[in-house]
């Protein structure tokens, strides 16, 4: 298989809603291997400026130097040690001014309103940084809403920030928003074990946080090196329902294992193969693309197997207009016990819909798309991996992530 040269920063957030199994308000409010013959390379690239960026500038950059920049400071550094968050943010593909969003703001008029609503949540967006010797902690200033009562999934503390170091959990801290909605949280940094060690701060996604600034407590911090972008499209399962932490969602876990920058384009209650989203994916630089949808085509929008077959071909074909050689992994619907043999409003069972989607992928491969891969979803989980009969629990997300990692490592060669 041939490699794509695309890569760069990422975008984030999406959800799952009533159609993918209850509790739509819950996630809204709660939160590689070595080269081998026949495996496809994955490459890196540079950030893509989003809406609000000037020519050659990112949204956080002003004319000339960055906010508060002066002698001895980097362009993103301001007074008081506060740094503009943009250079530290990962999982971002599009910007709406200074705010990362998960759809292109210039084309939201052609998308379903519920998808646009989910895309406002910064799912998968995180901070990645390195710390100089002697740095005791990192402080994050942010604005976030105060969550309401949560229902439907596991209990997740509001405004919980999680710190990871080189792919391992390293601590958590809780922010307590002030009445004006702005607050700061301090996460203690463990002593680095090696130079260049990367620290990741996962945000309380469900509170729709906007990071306003980041700074070191003692020592200094710098943005971590960027990794190749992995665009992951799907429904609430991709969005992370019902993982107990954003870091446990399967795209986050698989991205860490593969050394990629996952951009979470899972949209709760939607993620049904919307062709306008396929057009956005076609225009979005990425080294790897994954499509994981289909369960919401059983309900809440009943679909026939013939319709899903045609939709899968159309969606993949649209993505291919911008990514003719990019590795494209399709994950078919996971186990959903109540839907496997039950007909939907159009008379189709989920088993029949899954078979139609998989047939479409196999037919596209047979027609010559050697960069297209299929990961059948039905065998990946059993009922014990599901929180509510539909959405994976932490163990289910870990198992799904491992299957995706294995598929990519088996068939896709990392670019040197």
């Amino acid at each position: 298989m041939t490699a794509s040269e695309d890569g760069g920063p990422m975008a984030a957030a999406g959800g799952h809603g009533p159609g993918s199994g209850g509790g739509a308000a819950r996630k809204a409010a709660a939160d590689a291997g070595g080269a081998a013959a026949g495996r496809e390379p994955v490459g890196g690239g540079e950030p893509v400026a989003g809406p609000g960026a000037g020519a050659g500038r990112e949204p956080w950059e002003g004319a000339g130097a960055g906010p508060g920049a002066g002698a001895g400071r980097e362009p993103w550094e301001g007074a008081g040690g506060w740094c503009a968050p943009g250079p530290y943010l990962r999982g971002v593909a599009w910007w709406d001014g200074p705010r990362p969003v998960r759809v292109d703001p210039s084309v939201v008029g052609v998308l379903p309103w519920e998808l646009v609503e989910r895309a406002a949540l910064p799912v998968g967006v995180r901070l990645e940084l390195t710390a100089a010797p002697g740095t005791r902690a990192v402080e994050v200033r942010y604005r976030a809403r105060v969550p309401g009562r949560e229902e439907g999934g596991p209990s997740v503390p509001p405004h919980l920030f999680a710190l990871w170091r080189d792919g391992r959990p390293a601590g958590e801290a809780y922010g307590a928003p002030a009445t004006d909605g702005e607050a700061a949280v301090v996460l203690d940094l463990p002593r680095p074990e090696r130079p260049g060690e990367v620290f990741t701060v996962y945000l309380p996604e469900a509170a729709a946080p906007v990071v306003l600034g980041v700074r070191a407590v003692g020592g200094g911090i710098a943005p971590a090196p960027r990794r190749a972008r992995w665009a992951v499209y799907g429904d609430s399962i991709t969005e992370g329902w019902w993982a107990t932490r954003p870091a446990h969602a399967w795209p986050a876990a698989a991205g860490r294992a593969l050394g990629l920058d996952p951009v979470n384009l899972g949209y709760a209650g939607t993620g049904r193969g919307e062709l306008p989203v396929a057009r956005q994916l076609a225009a979005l630089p990425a080294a790897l693309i994954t499509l994981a949808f289909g369960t919401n085509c059983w309900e809440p929008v009943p679909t026939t197997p013939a319709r899903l077959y045609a939709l899968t071909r159309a969606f993949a074909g649209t993505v291919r207009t911008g990514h003719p050689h990019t590795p494209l992994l399709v994950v078919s619907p996971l186990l959903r016990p109540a839907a496997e043999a039950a007909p939907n409003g159009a008379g189709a069972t989920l088993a029949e819909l899954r078979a139609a989607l998989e047939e479409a992928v196999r037919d596209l491969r047979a027609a010559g798309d050697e960069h297209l891969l299929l990961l059948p979803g039905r065998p990946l989980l059993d009922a014990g991996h599901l929180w509510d009969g539909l959405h994976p629990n932490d163990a289910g997300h870990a198992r799904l992530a491992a299957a995706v990692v294995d598929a990519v490592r088996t068939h896709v060669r990392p670019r040197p």
Side-chain angles (χ1 to χ4, degrees):
M1 301 172 79
T2 308
S4 164
E5 297 292 344
D6 295 334
M10 340 306 123
H16 177 57
S20 296
R26 165 62 172 77
K27 178 66 176 175
D31 184 297
R39 289 190 287 174
E40 182 153 2
V42 174
E46 294 303 318
V48 177
R57 297 197 303 271
E58 293 289 356
W60 57 83
E61 296 178 327
R73 290 203 296 267
E74 297 289 349
W76 57 81
E77 293 181 327
W82 285 107
C83 302
Y88 295 86
L89 288 172
R90 301 294 182 264
V92 180
W94 298 282
W95 296 87
D96 187 3
R99 184 171 65 98
V101 292
R102 297 189 298 130
V103 293
D104 184 347
S106 67
V107 296
V108 294
V110 300
L111 296 169
W113 70 266
E114 64 268 35
L115 187 152
V116 175
E117 183 178 65
R118 298 302 304 177
L121 291 177
V123 175
V125 176
R126 61 210 178 274
L127 297 160
E128 292 190 355
L129 55 98
T130 59
T135 307
R136 300 190 304 275
V138 60
E139 184 175 9
V140 180
R141 187 165 58 91
Y142 67 99
R143 180 186 304 114
R145 68 190 182 200
V146 178
R149 183 188 175 103
E150 300 170 3
E151 297 178 358
S155 176
V156 179
H159 295 200
L160 172 68
F161 292 76
L163 178 71
W164 286 57
R165 61 186 296 177
D166 275 355
R168 295 168 291 154
E172 295 181 338
Y174 300 88
T179 55
D180 62 2
E182 291 191 12
V185 64
V186 176
L187 295 109
D188 294 330
L189 296 182
R191 185 185 301 275
E193 296 175 347
R194 61 174 181 79
E197 190 171 28
V198 174
F199 294 96
T200 301
V201 178
Y202 288 92
L203 310 176
E205 299 168 350
V210 176
V211 179
L212 304 175
V214 58
R215 69 178 176 182
V217 178
I221 58 173
R226 293 186 180 273
R227 296 172 289 159
R229 175 188 285 144
W230 172 30
V232 191
Y233 166 77
D235 49 37
S236 57
I237 296 172
T238 296
E239 193 181 61
W241 295 32
W242 290 118
T244 59
R245 300 289 190 272
H248 297 169
W250 74 263
R256 289 192 300 270
L258 293 169
L260 298 173
D261 183 0
V263 176
N264 193 310
L265 304 178
Y267 308 108
T270 58
R272 297 186 292 267
E274 299 85 356
L275 293 183
V277 176
R279 287 195 290 271
Q280 293 190 54
L281 280 171
L284 181 67
L288 174 67
I289 299 172
T290 295
L291 312 179
F293 70 97
T295 195
N296 283 348
C297 295
W298 182 77
E299 291 289 354
V301 179
T303 305
T304 65
R307 167 65 177 158
L308 185 55
Y309 175 90
L311 182 61
T312 302
R313 291 185 63 113
F315 196 100
T318 301
V319 172
R320 280 285 179 241
T321 62
H323 292 278
H325 306 301
T326 301
L328 179 57
L329 172 66
V330 179
V331 183
S332 64
L334 306 177
L335 170 69
R336 187 174 179 176
E340 294 296 331
N344 62 10
T349 66
L350 182 60
E352 292 168 338
L353 293 171
R354 183 186 297 111
L357 184 149
E358 293 177 354
E359 181 184 7
V361 175
R362 293 190 180 102
D363 286 351
L364 287 169
R365 275 192 60 85
D369 190 345
E370 61 182 10
H371 312 289
L372 182 64
L373 308 171
L374 173 65
L375 178 59
R378 173 60 183 83
L380 300 182
L381 306 182
D382 59 37
H385 296 117
L386 304 177
W387 171 267
D388 56 3
L390 169 59
H391 304 97
N393 53 27
D394 280 345
H397 277 280
R399 190 179 178 97
L400 177 53
V404 170
V405 168
D406 182 66
V408 173
R409 286 178 171 169
T410 300
H411 299 287
V412 181
R413 183 177 73 252
R415 181 179 299 282

